[in-house]
Amino acid sequence: MSKKQHKKRLPPEERKKQLLDIAVEVFADRGISVARHAEIAERAGVSVATIFFYFPTRELLVDAVLSETERVFDELPRVIDIDPEIPAIRRLLLSFIAYIEKYPSHSRILFEWSASIRDDVWPRFLEFQDQLIEGMANQIIEERIEQPAEGAATPEEIARLLMGVAYTLYIMKFAGKPDQDINRFLEGLVGTLG
């Protein structure tokens, strides 16, 4: 007589984290406005009711996925092991590339989120982007030994430019551009920005 194999029961917090990780993958593949509870359930091999138990509404599901994306990218300057002796601008750009490689699904969500101007997600994206820009600007300020020349870009303006560059790097990486092209683009920008 063969016994059915039972899935190991996870504590609720572990199960929720597992389902959130799968939700991130589904949102990355399907998009913020398209991903649904049923797709997550299918990929996770659980009932739709299980997904609704942990994420009772579509709004709570979207909130959880965006919060996870924020959490991952909020740690951007501190997580990737890049030589601290490298100047801030180069280090920040290298961090973006490393993040795209390490967190491709979160990167896809962030990229789509940046273009989702719907009232339910756009204001939150703008607020989060401002936090990222502030963090980058602070790193640039910390490394500046002297005041920039009059008329030069402020650290915040440079950080905003770096956010735009991050999206270009994202496109290059996901379009399959060779690393040498990406590095040449990066070095040209670093040379321009100083």
Side-chain angles (χ1 to χ4, degrees), residues 1-29:
M1 186 190 300
S2 74
K3 293 183 180 181
K4 286 186 179 179
Q5 286 197 333
H6 294 283
K7 288 184 182 180
K8 179 184 172 192
R9 277 196 167 263
L10 295 174
E13 283 306 307
E14 285 182 43
R15 173 65 74 193
K16 186 172 184 175
K17 174 68 172 118
Q18 177 192 47
L19 295 174
L20 179 57
D21 290 344
I22 293 169
V24 165
E25 297 295 323
V26 170
F27 272 64
D29 292 344

mmCIF file of all heavy atoms in Angstrom, residues 1-29:
data_model
loop_
_atom_site.group_PDB
_atom_site.id
_atom_site.type_symbol
_atom_site.label_atom_id
_atom_site.label_comp_id
_atom_site.label_asym_id
_atom_site.label_seq_id
_atom_site.Cartn_x
_atom_site.Cartn_y
_atom_site.Cartn_z
ATOM 1 N N MET A 1 0.841 -1.163 0.000
ATOM 2 C CA MET A 1 0.000 0.000 0.000
ATOM 3 C C MET A 1 0.899 1.243 0.000
ATOM 4 O O MET A 1 1.800 1.346 0.796
ATOM 5 C CB MET A 1 -0.880 -0.013 1.258
ATOM 6 C CG MET A 1 -1.887 1.100 1.229
ATOM 7 S SD MET A 1 -2.785 1.343 2.758
ATOM 8 C CE MET A 1 -3.595 -0.186 3.033
ATOM 9 N N SER A 2 0.645 2.123 -0.933
ATOM 10 C CA SER A 2 1.485 3.318 -0.989
ATOM 11 C C SER A 2 0.837 4.444 -0.193
ATOM 12 O O SER A 2 -0.373 4.596 -0.173
ATOM 13 C CB SER A 2 1.714 3.761 -2.431
ATOM 14 O OG SER A 2 0.553 4.358 -2.930
ATOM 15 N N LYS A 3 1.684 5.172 0.435
ATOM 16 C CA LYS A 3 1.197 6.300 1.239
ATOM 17 C C LYS A 3 1.313 7.570 0.407
ATOM 18 O O LYS A 3 2.286 7.757 -0.328
ATOM 19 C CB LYS A 3 2.034 6.453 2.500
ATOM 20 C CG LYS A 3 1.865 5.312 3.468
ATOM 21 C CD LYS A 3 2.666 5.582 4.714
ATOM 22 C CE LYS A 3 2.500 4.450 5.694
ATOM 23 N NZ LYS A 3 3.244 4.686 6.915
ATOM 24 N N LYS A 4 0.337 8.427 0.516
ATOM 25 C CA LYS A 4 0.422 9.728 -0.151
ATOM 26 C C LYS A 4 1.461 10.570 0.557
ATOM 27 O O LYS A 4 1.560 10.555 1.773
ATOM 28 C CB LYS A 4 -0.928 10.452 -0.089
ATOM 29 C CG LYS A 4 -1.961 9.892 -1.011
ATOM 30 C CD LYS A 4 -3.187 10.779 -0.953
ATOM 31 C CE LYS A 4 -4.254 10.279 -1.893
ATOM 32 N NZ LYS A 4 -5.446 11.099 -1.850
ATOM 33 N N GLN A 5 2.212 11.285 -0.247
ATOM 34 C CA GLN A 5 3.178 12.192 0.371
ATOM 35 C C GLN A 5 2.478 13.510 0.675
ATOM 36 O O GLN A 5 1.770 14.057 -0.163
ATOM 37 C CB GLN A 5 4.356 12.443 -0.563
ATOM 38 C CG GLN A 5 5.294 11.281 -0.654
ATOM 39 C CD GLN A 5 6.620 11.722 -1.241
ATOM 40 O OE1 GLN A 5 6.686 12.671 -1.996
ATOM 41 N NE2 GLN A 5 7.655 11.021 -0.876
ATOM 42 N N HIS A 6 2.653 13.963 1.871
ATOM 43 C CA HIS A 6 2.040 15.216 2.282
ATOM 44 C C HIS A 6 3.086 16.322 2.256
ATOM 45 O O HIS A 6 4.240 16.109 2.607
ATOM 46 C CB HIS A 6 1.472 15.100 3.714
ATOM 47 C CG HIS A 6 0.340 14.132 3.796
ATOM 48 N ND1 HIS A 6 -0.913 14.445 3.362
ATOM 49 C CD2 HIS A 6 0.278 12.848 4.246
ATOM 50 C CE1 HIS A 6 -1.712 13.404 3.547
ATOM 51 N NE2 HIS A 6 -1.005 12.416 4.087
ATOM 52 N N LYS A 7 2.631 17.487 1.818
ATOM 53 C CA LYS A 7 3.524 18.640 1.854
ATOM 54 C C LYS A 7 3.748 19.030 3.302
ATOM 55 O O LYS A 7 2.851 18.944 4.135
ATOM 56 C CB LYS A 7 2.909 19.829 1.107
ATOM 57 C CG LYS A 7 2.885 19.646 -0.375
ATOM 58 C CD LYS A 7 2.357 20.908 -1.024
ATOM 59 C CE LYS A 7 2.293 20.719 -2.527
ATOM 60 N NZ LYS A 7 1.787 21.894 -3.202
ATOM 61 N N LYS A 8 4.957 19.444 3.566
ATOM 62 C CA LYS A 8 5.291 19.882 4.922
ATOM 63 C C LYS A 8 4.508 21.166 5.230
ATOM 64 O O LYS A 8 4.488 22.098 4.444
ATOM 65 C CB LYS A 8 6.796 20.142 5.007
ATOM 66 C CG LYS A 8 7.239 20.612 6.361
ATOM 67 C CD LYS A 8 8.712 20.936 6.368
ATOM 68 C CE LYS A 8 9.066 21.579 7.684
ATOM 69 N NZ LYS A 8 10.386 22.174 7.649
ATOM 70 N N ARG A 9 3.875 21.181 6.381
ATOM 71 C CA ARG A 9 3.158 22.384 6.813
ATOM 72 C C ARG A 9 4.163 23.403 7.315
ATOM 73 O O ARG A 9 4.959 23.107 8.191
ATOM 74 C CB ARG A 9 2.183 22.061 7.933
ATOM 75 C CG ARG A 9 0.899 21.530 7.444
ATOM 76 C CD ARG A 9 -0.134 21.612 8.577
ATOM 77 N NE ARG A 9 -1.434 21.402 8.037
ATOM 78 C CZ ARG A 9 -2.278 22.383 7.712
ATOM 79 N NH1 ARG A 9 -1.949 23.622 7.904
ATOM 80 N NH2 ARG A 9 -3.457 22.103 7.226
ATOM 81 N N LEU A 10 4.076 24.576 6.758
ATOM 82 C CA LEU A 10 4.949 25.661 7.195
ATOM 83 C C LEU A 10 4.216 26.521 8.211
ATOM 84 O O LEU A 10 2.990 26.670 8.133
ATOM 85 C CB LEU A 10 5.344 26.530 5.999
ATOM 86 C CG LEU A 10 6.190 25.879 4.912
ATOM 87 C CD1 LEU A 10 6.361 26.847 3.748
ATOM 88 C CD2 LEU A 10 7.539 25.464 5.456
ATOM 89 N N PRO A 11 4.956 27.112 9.137
ATOM 90 C CA PRO A 11 4.319 28.098 10.020
ATOM 91 C C PRO A 11 3.730 29.227 9.153
ATOM 92 O O PRO A 11 4.248 29.520 8.065
ATOM 93 C CB PRO A 11 5.474 28.609 10.882
ATOM 94 C CG PRO A 11 6.527 27.549 10.793
ATOM 95 C CD PRO A 11 6.365 26.909 9.444
ATOM 96 N N PRO A 12 2.661 29.860 9.610
ATOM 97 C CA PRO A 12 1.976 30.876 8.799
ATOM 98 C C PRO A 12 2.891 31.958 8.218
ATOM 99 O O PRO A 12 2.749 32.321 7.050
ATOM 100 C CB PRO A 12 0.950 31.476 9.767
ATOM 101 C CG PRO A 12 0.679 30.375 10.733
ATOM 102 C CD PRO A 12 1.979 29.641 10.891
ATOM 103 N N GLU A 13 3.832 32.459 9.008
ATOM 104 C CA GLU A 13 4.709 33.520 8.486
ATOM 105 C C GLU A 13 5.619 33.002 7.372
ATOM 106 O O GLU A 13 5.879 33.703 6.395
ATOM 107 C CB GLU A 13 5.532 34.161 9.610
ATOM 108 C CG GLU A 13 4.732 35.132 10.458
ATOM 109 C CD GLU A 13 4.029 36.207 9.640
ATOM 110 O OE1 GLU A 13 4.697 36.893 8.833
ATOM 111 O OE2 GLU A 13 2.803 36.362 9.790
ATOM 112 N N GLU A 14 6.113 31.782 7.515
ATOM 113 C CA GLU A 14 6.949 31.185 6.459
ATOM 114 C C GLU A 14 6.124 30.935 5.200
ATOM 115 O O GLU A 14 6.605 31.157 4.087
ATOM 116 C CB GLU A 14 7.586 29.882 6.942
ATOM 117 C CG GLU A 14 8.741 30.072 7.891
ATOM 118 C CD GLU A 14 9.360 28.738 8.293
ATOM 119 O OE1 GLU A 14 9.547 27.865 7.416
ATOM 120 O OE2 GLU A 14 9.645 28.573 9.494
ATOM 121 N N ARG A 15 4.903 30.433 5.370
ATOM 122 C CA ARG A 15 4.027 30.190 4.219
ATOM 123 C C ARG A 15 3.724 31.504 3.512
ATOM 124 O O ARG A 15 3.786 31.594 2.287
ATOM 125 C CB ARG A 15 2.733 29.505 4.664
ATOM 126 C CG ARG A 15 1.696 29.368 3.558
ATOM 127 C CD ARG A 15 2.122 28.478 2.425
ATOM 128 N NE ARG A 15 2.051 27.100 2.868
ATOM 129 C CZ ARG A 15 2.577 26.089 2.222
ATOM 130 N NH1 ARG A 15 3.210 26.280 1.087
ATOM 131 N NH2 ARG A 15 2.495 24.875 2.687
ATOM 132 N N LYS A 16 3.423 32.552 4.285
ATOM 133 C CA LYS A 16 3.125 33.847 3.670
ATOM 134 C C LYS A 16 4.329 34.357 2.886
ATOM 135 O O LYS A 16 4.189 34.859 1.769
ATOM 136 C CB LYS A 16 2.705 34.864 4.737
ATOM 137 C CG LYS A 16 2.253 36.182 4.152
ATOM 138 C CD LYS A 16 1.674 37.102 5.204
ATOM 139 C CE LYS A 16 1.140 38.359 4.542
ATOM 140 N NZ LYS A 16 0.468 39.236 5.507
ATOM 141 N N LYS A 17 5.526 34.215 3.446
ATOM 142 C CA LYS A 17 6.748 34.653 2.751
ATOM 143 C C LYS A 17 6.947 33.840 1.473
ATOM 144 O O LYS A 17 7.292 34.393 0.425
ATOM 145 C CB LYS A 17 7.959 34.494 3.699
ATOM 146 C CG LYS A 17 9.301 34.767 3.049
ATOM 147 C CD LYS A 17 9.477 36.217 2.665
ATOM 148 C CE LYS A 17 10.887 36.493 2.197
ATOM 149 N NZ LYS A 17 10.988 36.939 0.829
ATOM 150 N N GLN A 18 6.718 32.534 1.549
ATOM 151 C CA GLN A 18 6.855 31.680 0.374
ATOM 152 C C GLN A 18 5.867 32.133 -0.724
ATOM 153 O O GLN A 18 6.243 32.253 -1.898
ATOM 154 C CB GLN A 18 6.583 30.229 0.754
ATOM 155 C CG GLN A 18 6.621 29.271 -0.418
ATOM 156 C CD GLN A 18 6.061 27.910 -0.049
ATOM 157 O OE1 GLN A 18 4.991 27.812 0.560
ATOM 158 N NE2 GLN A 18 6.803 26.867 -0.404
ATOM 159 N N LEU A 19 4.627 32.387 -0.342
ATOM 160 C CA LEU A 19 3.629 32.813 -1.309
ATOM 161 C C LEU A 19 3.934 34.207 -1.856
ATOM 162 O O LEU A 19 3.699 34.479 -3.036
ATOM 163 C CB LEU A 19 2.229 32.762 -0.687
ATOM 164 C CG LEU A 19 1.747 31.360 -0.312
ATOM 165 C CD1 LEU A 19 0.410 31.437 0.424
ATOM 166 C CD2 LEU A 19 1.665 30.444 -1.525
ATOM 167 N N LEU A 20 4.483 35.070 -1.025
ATOM 168 C CA LEU A 20 4.875 36.400 -1.488
ATOM 169 C C LEU A 20 6.003 36.294 -2.513
ATOM 170 O O LEU A 20 5.994 36.992 -3.532
ATOM 171 C CB LEU A 20 5.297 37.286 -0.313
ATOM 172 C CG LEU A 20 5.750 38.706 -0.671
ATOM 173 C CD1 LEU A 20 4.676 39.466 -1.432
ATOM 174 C CD2 LEU A 20 6.138 39.453 0.602
ATOM 175 N N ASP A 21 6.970 35.420 -2.278
ATOM 176 C CA ASP A 21 8.052 35.221 -3.242
ATOM 177 C C ASP A 21 7.497 34.755 -4.589
ATOM 178 O O ASP A 21 7.942 35.221 -5.651
ATOM 179 C CB ASP A 21 9.069 34.208 -2.724
ATOM 180 C CG ASP A 21 9.891 34.732 -1.546
ATOM 181 O OD1 ASP A 21 9.902 35.962 -1.314
ATOM 182 O OD2 ASP A 21 10.501 33.905 -0.839
ATOM 183 N N ILE A 22 6.529 33.869 -4.545
ATOM 184 C CA ILE A 22 5.903 33.398 -5.787
ATOM 185 C C ILE A 22 5.094 34.518 -6.420
ATOM 186 O O ILE A 22 5.118 34.700 -7.649
ATOM 187 C CB ILE A 22 5.040 32.144 -5.508
ATOM 188 C CG1 ILE A 22 5.967 30.983 -5.110
ATOM 189 C CG2 ILE A 22 4.184 31.784 -6.727
ATOM 190 C CD1 ILE A 22 5.258 29.769 -4.548
ATOM 191 N N ALA A 23 4.411 35.314 -5.600
ATOM 192 C CA ALA A 23 3.642 36.450 -6.116
ATOM 193 C C ALA A 23 4.565 37.434 -6.843
ATOM 194 O O ALA A 23 4.198 37.961 -7.903
ATOM 195 C CB ALA A 23 2.896 37.151 -4.982
ATOM 196 N N VAL A 24 5.740 37.677 -6.298
ATOM 197 C CA VAL A 24 6.705 38.573 -6.958
ATOM 198 C C VAL A 24 7.035 38.024 -8.348
ATOM 199 O O VAL A 24 7.071 38.780 -9.329
ATOM 200 C CB VAL A 24 7.975 38.747 -6.087
ATOM 201 C CG1 VAL A 24 9.114 39.359 -6.892
ATOM 202 C CG2 VAL A 24 7.665 39.602 -4.861
ATOM 203 N N GLU A 25 7.264 36.723 -8.443
ATOM 204 C CA GLU A 25 7.574 36.115 -9.745
ATOM 205 C C GLU A 25 6.404 36.282 -10.719
ATOM 206 O O GLU A 25 6.607 36.619 -11.888
ATOM 207 C CB GLU A 25 7.903 34.631 -9.575
ATOM 208 C CG GLU A 25 9.124 34.343 -8.729
ATOM 209 C CD GLU A 25 10.413 34.859 -9.344
ATOM 210 O OE1 GLU A 25 10.560 34.801 -10.587
ATOM 211 O OE2 GLU A 25 11.288 35.325 -8.587
ATOM 212 N N VAL A 26 5.192 36.042 -10.229
ATOM 213 C CA VAL A 26 4.011 36.170 -11.089
ATOM 214 C C VAL A 26 3.834 37.624 -11.527
ATOM 215 O O VAL A 26 3.576 37.899 -12.711
ATOM 216 C CB VAL A 26 2.746 35.636 -10.381
ATOM 217 C CG1 VAL A 26 1.478 35.979 -11.166
ATOM 218 C CG2 VAL A 26 2.855 34.128 -10.169
ATOM 219 N N PHE A 27 3.976 38.554 -10.614
ATOM 220 C CA PHE A 27 3.843 39.971 -10.962
ATOM 221 C C PHE A 27 4.924 40.384 -11.964
ATOM 222 O O PHE A 27 4.664 41.169 -12.870
ATOM 223 C CB PHE A 27 3.920 40.853 -9.713
ATOM 224 C CG PHE A 27 2.596 41.065 -9.038
ATOM 225 C CD1 PHE A 27 1.901 40.012 -8.466
ATOM 226 C CD2 PHE A 27 2.034 42.329 -8.971
ATOM 227 C CE1 PHE A 27 0.687 40.200 -7.843
ATOM 228 C CE2 PHE A 27 0.811 42.544 -8.344
ATOM 229 C CZ PHE A 27 0.129 41.463 -7.781
ATOM 230 N N ALA A 28 6.118 39.866 -11.807
ATOM 231 C CA ALA A 28 7.201 40.182 -12.753
ATOM 232 C C ALA A 28 6.874 39.633 -14.133
ATOM 233 O O ALA A 28 7.149 40.293 -15.148
ATOM 234 C CB ALA A 28 8.524 39.614 -12.248
ATOM 235 N N ASP A 29 6.302 38.444 -14.186
ATOM 236 C CA ASP A 29 5.979 37.817 -15.470
ATOM 237 C C ASP A 29 4.730 38.393 -16.111
ATOM 238 O O ASP A 29 4.680 38.565 -17.330
ATOM 239 C CB ASP A 29 5.771 36.304 -15.292
ATOM 240 C CG ASP A 29 7.049 35.570 -14.921
ATOM 241 O OD1 ASP A 29 8.151 36.143 -15.091
ATOM 242 O OD2 ASP A 29 6.942 34.423 -14.447
#
